[in-house]
Amino acid sequence: MKLNETEIADSYNDVWVLGEIVDGQVHKVTLELLGIARELADKRAVNNSKVVCLLMGSGLKGMETGLFYQSADRVIMVDDESLKFFNDSVYSSVVSRLIKKYKPEILISGATSKGRSLMPLVAVQIETGLTADCTGLDIDKESGLLLQTRPAYGGNIIATIKCENHRPQMSTVRQGVFKAIESDDTRTGELIVESVLEEEKRTRFTVLSEESYGDDSKINLHDANVIVSGGRGVKSAEGFEVIHQLANAVEGAVGATRATIDSGWISYAHQVGQTGLTVQPEIYIACGVSGQIQHLVGMQSSDLIIAINKDPDAPIMQLADVAIVGDLFEVVPEITKLLSN
Ligand SMILES: Cc1cc2nc3c(=O)[nH]c(=O)nc-3n(C[C@H](O)[C@H](O)[C@H](O)COP(=O)(O)OP(=O)(O)OC[C@H]3O[C@@H](n4cnc5c(N)ncnc54)[C@H](O)[C@@H]3O)c2cc1C
């Protein structure tokens, strides 16, 4: 909503996280967002800002407890059979109505398929701005505005975006960008129960079921402690075999650059980077990857980065904690052999 200065200062506070449920559990990205929401709310203490998780779905009873442990001060729960399956029309109507009622200053959501579908609809209904795929969120010390950082123009610049005259300030963030804070089981909070209005349930279509399909759903780069990634240096689909072997030896997952996906050597589910996944493993091993900015934004927060490249001047070699100059077809099998013995 477009507002004048007095209205903004007087009536909008709190940092909201749009909670997400997957397979009956709170999605990991929701916990990560509660962590950054806590930081943002603490920086807006002057405004008495609280961390609020809006949780929508069916069969949610008791889930608020874990959200309080993860720093939510308040949970607004909408538990209704009509929310069992994701219908963006029903969900967006409910979110928009609750925003008008409670007036959050900030609303953040995971850049998941649901978040990407829901947040733009809400932004249009509420008439505010939305910054998608943020890689950083902070509060401007002077103005108190949300600083929303994200790569722009194909990753060639990093832009920091402010939403000055509309509320709430809305952002989506991919999984793996922020870390969840440690759970504190002494924390409690306030539970507010809301419902779905009858007119919100009347939509043009009904979602009858939800299912995930295909082998790609088993590729889980987000949960892997070690990721071994292949770039154009692997040269072919067959060349990825050495990458898979090393990943197996370290019980890790296989990542890839967009160049290899575009070449048809491996499926999109493996892509790391700006238009792929953002990951944060303990160890990221980049093999034959040059390290263009669009790839780096997806993996630069990894705890330890090892790069194997023929070119000592490749950008990834500057970022790496351990840079091995050499032919990946010699170096990678050697490491696999050492680890397998
Ligand atoms: C809008 C946009 C979005 C993008 N999104 C993504 C994204 O999400 N993820 C992504 O990865 N890219 C993305 N890209 C593409 C990105 O700009 C780069 O083109 C891509 O990351 C390069 O992939 P690469 O490192 O595999 O290939 P290259 O840049 O070609 O690098 C290959 C590297 O392999 C090394 N090499 C060659 N042979 C060997 C060998 N035998 N042993 C060791 N090293 C060897 C070379 O020295 C070189 O450094 C995007 C681009 C745009 C414009």
Side-chain angles (χ1 to χ4, degrees), residues 154 231-233 235 256-260 271-276 288-292 294-295 308-311 314 326-329:
R232 208 174 347 225
K235 301 209 164 43
T257 64
R258 177 161 149 180
T260 65
Q271 186 180 317
V272 173
Q274 187 187 321
T275 42
V289 172
S290 61
Q292 300 306 310
Q294 295 89 354
H295 188 76
I308 302 161
N309 200 304
K310 281 207 293 203
D311 176 5
D327 186 331
L328 74 91
F329 291 104

